[in-house]
Structure formats: C-alpha cells, structure tokens
C-alpha cells in the first residue's frame, strides 16, 4: 500500500521495498515476483526486535549495504534510522531519539525530521540520509550511529557553495556515485538536480570519510 522506495540486493536476486502504507519492508524475488515480508508487523509504531515483532511508521526509503547483509531504513514517521538484517529481518535502531528536530551527534542524541531518502557509501561504512524538512543531507555511521551533516545550512532556499553555506529546499532523495566521489541530490522544492563533491576532506566533515559538501553544480 503506497510503496515509496526500492533497492536491489548486490546479487541482483531480490528487490527490497519500503511499503510505507503497510509499515513493512517487503522482499521481492525479481525473477519470480514472489513477495515476502522482510520486517514489520504491519502495526504503525516503533519497536525493535524480530521480523514479525518490529514496528515501523511510514518507512519511506531503503538502501542495501554493499555486503548484502543489511538494509538501512529511513523510518520517516518515527524520525529514526533503522537497520534490518537481510538474513532474518531482525530490526534495531541505528540513530535518532524519535523526536522530530535537528541535532548532530551520537546515535542516542541525534535528531531527524521525517527522513525521506537513504543511500550507502560504497565502503559500506556510512549511510547518506536526505531530510526534506531539515533541508540537509546527513551521514550516519553504521558502526555506531554517529550522525553529522554533510551539506546544507538548514535554511530553505537555493544557494551553492561549501557545506555550511549551501541551501536546499525540500531535498527528497540522494544517490552516491559508484566511486563514492559525488552525491546527486533531488532538490524538489528548487526543481533542480544538485551534485555534491565528496572527494576533498579539507572542509572538515567529522565523519572522516573524505567529504566536503562542496557543490559542483
């Protein structure tokens, strides 16, 4: 009911679907079309645990880790980032308190506001999260949920420049290039596609992944 995003496993066998209206993640065999529930009881809420016990609230976006073992979920209605095992659907919190807002920092301290997009860095170490309500793109470490802003001042508008000066207006999703050097952002409110240079570490992103957030165009 109202699927909002899809990601393909590295082996190309399965599509993982964010079934937002049903508050579930679904697993579709691409060859046969067979559909299984990967995680989610179908009841709107927040609960970590096994595949059938876990609860989501409008999970809007998904990204499969490069090793094919996990799915990162933008659980928009819960204002959280979740991590789901592709092996058994076990679900745990990665970052976010559940309160809507903006705050960088450790997993237990970070705040999100209806995160709408997620993608993975090729290294598998970081998820890139798009936040349309905060007008920012954030990075979340899979190891411990540490969250930092990659690019965006938080003010709605259009401005190019470095990480802290750049302005977006409701960015809904972003995709990392295969070599990890660029990020392409769908800047919905500005009706533009933006490109972020992630090669030069001189701008000092605390995630230590070589990001500057300098806009190329």
């Amino acid at each position: 009911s109202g699927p909002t995003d899809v990601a393909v496993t590295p082996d190309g066998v399965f599509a993982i679907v964010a079934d937002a209206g049903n508050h579930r993640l679904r697993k579709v065999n691409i060859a046969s079309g067979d559909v299984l529930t990967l995680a989610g009881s179908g009841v709107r809420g927040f609960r970590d645990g096994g595949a059938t016990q876990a609860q989501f609230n409008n999970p809007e976006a998904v990204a499969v880790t490069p090793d094919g073992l996990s799915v990162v979920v933008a659980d928009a209605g819960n204002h959280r980032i979740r991590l789901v095992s592709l092996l058994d659907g076990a679900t745990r919190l990665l970052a976010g308190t559940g309160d809507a807002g903006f705050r960088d920092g450790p997993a237990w301290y970070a705040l999100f506001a209806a995160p709408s997009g997620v993608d993975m860095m090729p290294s598998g170490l970081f998820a890139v999260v798009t936040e349309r309500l905060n007008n920012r793109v954030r990075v979340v470490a899979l190891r411990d949920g540490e969250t930092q802003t990659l690019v965006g001042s938080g003010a709605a508008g259009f401005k190019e420049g470095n990480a802290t000066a750049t302005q977006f207006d409701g960015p809904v999703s972003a995709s990392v290039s295969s070599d990890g050097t660029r990020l392409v952002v769908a800047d919905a409110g500005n009706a533009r596609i933006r490109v972020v240079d992630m090669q030069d570490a001189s701008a000092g992103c605390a995630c230590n992944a070589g990001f500057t957030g300098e806009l190329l165009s």
Side-chain angles (χ1 to χ4, degrees):
S1 175
T4 51
D5 195 24
V6 63
V8 177
T9 57
D11 60 10
V13 175
F14 295 102
I16 308 303
V17 179
D19 192 0
N22 283 319
H23 313 295
R24 290 180 166 105
L25 300 189
R26 315 293 289 279
K27 186 176 181 179
V28 182
N29 185 300
I30 294 173
S32 68
D34 291 342
V35 181
L36 298 172
T37 294
L38 174 63
S41 68
V43 176
R44 181 198 304 261
F46 172 76
R47 181 186 296 166
D48 284 339
T52 58
Q53 288 78 41
Q55 292 180 351
F56 299 91
N57 185 352
N58 294 310
E60 284 201 8
V62 289
V64 178
T65 57
D67 60 12
L69 297 179
S70 303
V71 182
V72 181
V73 183
D75 192 2
N78 281 318
H79 312 295
R80 289 175 164 111
I81 307 302
R82 315 280 292 279
L83 193 64
V84 178
S85 169
L86 262 171
L87 300 177
D88 59 10
T91 301
R92 68 175 178 88
L93 175 65
L94 182 59
T97 70
D99 295 325
F102 168 75
R103 193 163 62 199
D104 285 337
W108 57 268
Y109 183 79
L111 295 178
F112 299 88
S116 56
V118 64
D119 199 13
M120 289 298 305
M121 289 295 298
S123 66
L125 299 178
F126 298 94
V128 178
V129 176
T130 312
E131 285 194 281
R132 62 173 176 263
L133 297 184
N134 279 325
N135 300 303
R136 291 176 168 100
V137 180
R138 320 271 292 279
V139 286
V140 181
L142 262 64
R143 181 183 63 183
D144 58 9
E146 178 80 22
T147 301
Q148 298 290 336
T149 296
L150 169 60
V151 63
S153 68
F158 177 78
K159 183 184 292 184
E160 296 187 337
N162 63 27
T164 57
T166 295
Q167 291 180 353
F168 298 101
D169 186 357
V172 292
S173 65
S175 183
V176 181
S177 63
S178 59
D179 60 4
T181 62
R182 295 190 178 192
L183 180 73
V184 182
V185 181
D187 190 4
N190 281 316
R192 289 177 163 104
I193 302 301
R194 316 281 292 277
V195 181
V196 179
D197 180 5
M198 294 161 53
Q199 297 182 75
D200 184 352
S202 63
C205 179
C207 61
N208 246 353
F211 302 140
T212 68
E214 180 185 357
L215 279 171
L216 293 180
S217 61

